[in-house]
Amino acid sequence: MDLDNSYGTLDMQTSLLELLKEFHKFCMANNIKYSLDWGSLLGAIRHKGFIPWDDDLDIMVDRENYEKIKRQIGGKLCYEHGTPEALWIDRVRLVTDSQSSLLPTMDVFVIDNAPDGIFERKIRVLFIRTLQGMLKRKPNFKKGNVIYKGATLLTYLVGSFFTRKTLLGWYNNLSQLSNGKSTQMKACYNADFVDVAKLRHPDVLGDYILVPFEDCEVYVTKGYHQALIDMFGPDYMTPVYREPIHLNHD
């Protein structure tokens, strides 16, 4: 393992790699299927490990394996329901870590069926985004135009009348509404505000392959090429340059 520390991420990525290895071991022991997602998937394919400036892990699972993870997690791993920033995104971390959002974490994204109808898809996304606004603990009123700020305030105020358990129950039920049907596309409804509207290819989690990741092997979707195009565009193998930070070695 030879992690790049040009961006000051060496310590974090070292801990993240330990977390990833423990999670992979847990999944193999419990017959749980998963794939890396977002920047972690891109890093596995483009860099055979971490993107040099990445400071977290992302995985995607279908609803069945998501429930298995929640039921069976243990040993050196713990499960965190919701993050300080987004109560609808669950995380896995090492039990030795506290609840600080600055420590190594793995975000768990759930893939569900998306409605076939365009209008139904738009309504689903609208309600999901509304629930996200209702679940926010500390909304950002500095972001966006007047309409966006007004919607942020309104959803936050309405959400204050309901318990977190109630709102998350609605959120989970709405996310799974199309799972009993055969649909053409899938979606990740526990993603961030913008990304809940992105469609996923129907076989995004149809099969899995092992790929190198730093000094170990992990699972990614066999359809990683289409998945990465959907997330980052057709030029995903071309890195976008980021200016390295200047490390102080004094």
Side-chain angles (χ1 to χ4, degrees):
M1 181 179 66
D2 186 20
L3 294 174
D4 181 0
N5 199 33
S6 300
Y7 297 85
T9 53
L10 177 61
D11 290 343
M12 177 64 78
Q13 291 184 353
T14 300
S15 297
L16 287 170
L17 188 58
E18 180 187 358
L19 170 59
L20 181 57
K21 289 177 180 179
E22 286 296 333
F23 181 76
H24 178 77
K25 188 188 305 182
F26 159 75
C27 289
M28 294 304 94
N30 292 280
N31 193 29
I32 292 172
K33 300 182 185 301
Y34 77 93
S35 168
L36 296 185
D37 198 14
W38 292 105
S40 300
L41 177 59
L42 179 60
I45 301 305
R46 194 172 71 190
H47 303 269
K48 299 190 184 328
F50 290 105
I51 297 174
W53 51 84
D54 209 1
D55 60 0
D56 71 346
L57 288 167
D58 301 310
I59 64 160
M60 58 176 162
V61 291
D62 61 20
R63 183 65 59 170
E64 178 183 356
N65 285 283
Y66 166 70
E67 296 296 340
K68 288 174 69 175
I69 291 172
K70 290 195 298 180
R71 288 196 309 268
Q72 300 175 24
I73 200 79
K76 296 183 179 180
L77 300 172
C78 62
Y79 201 81
E80 182 180 343
H81 296 280
T83 74
E85 303 83 12
L87 297 180
W88 53 90
I89 300 178
D90 290 356
R91 282 177 171 169
V92 173
R93 31 167 111 242
L94 295 167
V95 293
T96 52
D97 292 333
S98 70
Q99 298 300 302
S100 170
S101 61
L102 298 177
L103 290 170
T105 58
M106 173 187 290
D107 289 347
V108 180
F109 294 104
V110 188
I111 305 299
D112 289 304
N113 286 354
D116 284 334
I118 295 177
F119 178 74
E120 189 178 355
R121 283 202 300 268
K122 288 182 179 295
I123 292 297
R124 178 82 52 88
V125 169
L126 174 62
F127 279 118
I128 288 289
R129 286 174 169 171
T130 299
L131 285 168
Q132 287 187 355
M134 294 170 71
L135 279 162
K136 284 184 178 178
R137 287 173 172 166
K138 295 180 179 180
N140 182 5
F141 296 113
K142 297 179 180 179
K143 181 181 178 181
N145 57 27
V146 174
I147 295 176
Y148 182 88
K149 292 177 182 176
T152 300
L153 176 61
L154 179 61
T155 54
Y156 173 69
L157 291 175
V158 173
S160 65
F161 289 97
F162 301 94
T163 66
R164 175 188 173 190
K165 182 178 179 180
T166 296
L167 293 173
L168 286 175
W170 292 345
Y171 199 112
N172 288 330
N173 290 337
L174 186 60
S175 299
Q176 301 177 65
L177 206 56
S178 298
N179 283 359
K181 309 171 185 177
S182 177
T183 62
Q184 295 180 6
M185 299 298 290
K186 296 184 180 292
C188 180
Y189 291 123
N190 74 319
D192 291 331
F193 186 86
V194 173
D195 296 324
V196 295
K198 293 182 178 179
L199 294 174
R200 304 280 188 122
H201 200 264
D203 63 356
V204 66
L205 290 177
D207 203 357
Y208 306 81
I209 57 173
L210 280 170
V211 298
F213 195 96
E214 301 300 344
D215 63 353
C216 63
E217 287 188 321
V218 293
Y219 276 106
V220 302
T221 171
K222 190 175 182 179
Y224 67 82
H225 178 62
Q226 185 61 52
L228 288 170
I229 288 176
D230 292 343
M231 287 183 279
F232 300 105
D235 296 327
Y236 66 83
M237 288 299 288
T238 303
V240 177
Y241 179 75
R242 286 195 183 185
E243 187 71 31
I245 66 173
H246 296 288
L247 300 173
N248 184 358
H249 297 292
D250 295 339

